[in-house]
Amino acid sequence: MLVGAAALALLGGTVATACGSTPPVKDVDALVGALERARDDSRLAGNAAAAAAPTIATALSVVADQRAAHARALTDEITRIAGEAPTTSASTSASSTSATPTTSGPPPKPPTVADVVAALKQSADGASLLATQQSGYRAGLLGSIAAACTAAATVALATSGVTS
Amino acid sequence: MTSPDTGSSTAPSPSRPSDAADAALFDAVAVEHGVIYGYGLVSAHSTPDSNQLVSNSLAGHRELREEGIHRLAERKVTPPIPALGYQLPFVVDDPTGAAKLAVRMEEDAAVAWRAVLEQATAGDDRELAVTALTRAAVSAARWRAVLGVEPTTVAFPGGND
């Protein structure tokens, strides 16, 4: 699990460039990617909650809320470093051109808890990697997001009577 | 959580390094010393149902502490030593108190490792910190489940974004 010290010298030089006051465009792009994942997960968990049994629906709603909180924090950070609010495919709930339409009712085939768990694990992996490539507050924020996704996938959605 | 019992609340001897990245790692190791001490009490007062959780958590913290010490030593930084004793935030004399202490310690570990993550200048220190932060978040959630606390998770482990 723990990595050896060998990579230290390799990575030490490259990551230092990410500390400037004007971060490269790729930093913003990376954060926008994390933002879109947070929104997607929130929507997925919300849709799954709407169709789930009450016992697990509560846990799914918590996941939806937490991923929405991640989206807000990422939006704030992107706005701060880019000087403007992020333009993504689904800016806010009012967007009519979102990639995945947010309808009022659950979709015909609602997502399952397993779908949400799988999405969260992917999001955790992505945020973990991104956290090691960023620095300062951004690294910390992404690390907390990764930790939250893993805890949600392996504890919150597992202790609610789901075995997978 | 478990704060050092000896002397004032200033840094334990050896002195805290001035470099921010080293200092954060130094602090994290000091926190891990306290967590490992605290898990002894948690272990003593937990029910057998929590044995696996106690031993897994403790093993994880030992691993993180040793890795942190190793990395500090590589940079010629003298790592912190365990305090002679630790002051508990509340009385721990039953399984509920034990689980509460465990939650508190995991939350404090998350804060310490997020600081390492934010201060680090090396990618592999960030990897270590993300691993530690994730473990702390997962363990805290498991202990909240033991306590029956809902929800078991928080949106920003180690922070309040």
Side-chain angles (χ1 to χ4, degrees):
Chain A
M1 201 86 169
L2 301 181
V3 289
L8 196 153
L10 293 173
L11 290 167
T14 53
V15 291
T17 56
C19 302
S21 56
T22 50
V25 174
K26 67 178 174 62
D27 285 357
V28 174
D29 287 349
L31 289 179
V32 168
L35 168 60
E36 288 179 343
R37 281 219 64 100
R39 284 180 176 154
D40 287 350
D41 289 354
S42 182
R43 194 178 303 123
L44 188 72
N47 287 340
T55 45
I56 188 74
T58 305
L60 286 164
S61 295
V62 169
V63 171
D65 289 347
Q66 290 180 346
R67 293 298 277 146
H70 295 165
R72 283 193 296 276
L74 287 163
T75 299
D76 288 349
E77 179 61 7
I78 292 165
T79 304
R80 194 185 66 77
I81 63 175
E84 58 183 9
T87 51
T88 63
S89 53
S91 290
T92 47
S93 55
S95 173
S96 58
T97 56
S98 34
T100 310
T102 46
T103 52
S104 53
K109 198 180 173 188
T112 65
V113 175
D115 293 333
V116 178
V117 167
L120 286 171
K121 286 183 174 173
Q122 266 196 20
S123 296
D125 288 347
S128 293
L129 180 64
L130 207 50
T132 65
Q133 297 164 343
Q134 298 284 326
S135 63
Y137 171 75
R138 286 198 290 287
L141 174 62
L142 289 160
S144 285
I145 288 173
C149 288
T150 300
T154 59
V155 184
L157 296 182
T159 52
S160 304
V162 181
T163 47
S164 64
Chain B
M1 57 148 246
T2 49
S3 47
D5 219 358
T6 51
S8 65
S9 60
T10 53
S13 59
S15 63
R16 191 172 184 266
S18 55
D19 175 80
D22 290 348
L25 190 53
F26 182 97
D27 291 345
V29 169
V31 167
E32 292 294 352
H33 280 318
V35 170
I36 289 160
Y37 174 93
Y39 263 111
L41 285 167
V42 172
S43 178
H45 293 286
S46 292
T47 64
D49 290 345
S50 298
N51 281 354
Q52 199 63 45
L53 180 53
V54 171
S55 55
N56 286 349
S57 303
L58 184 54
H61 286 290
R62 282 185 181 281
E63 189 182 20
L64 291 169
R65 176 179 69 171
E66 299 318 312
E67 185 63 26
I69 288 172
H70 172 71
R71 292 187 187 200
L72 286 172
E74 277 184 334
R75 292 165 219 178
K76 313 287 184 228
V77 174
T78 307
I81 55 173
L84 290 176
Y86 290 87
Q87 193 152 30
L88 299 177
F90 41 77
V91 175
V92 176
D93 58 3
D94 63 5
T96 300
K100 280 183 181 169
L101 178 62
V103 169
R104 181 82 166 263
M105 294 193 303
E106 295 294 353
E107 289 173 348
D108 289 347
V111 170
W113 285 105
R114 177 159 163 170
V116 173
L117 183 53
E118 295 195 354
Q119 297 297 332
T121 51
D124 75 333
D125 278 356
R126 294 195 190 102
E127 272 182 50
L128 176 68
V130 171
T131 297
L133 179 50
T134 298
R135 281 188 192 176
V138 169
S139 292
R142 292 198 195 286
W143 282 112
R144 289 190 199 100
V146 168
L147 281 171
V149 170
E150 290 285 346
T152 54
T153 55
V154 297
F156 300 101
N160 45 12
D161 308 90

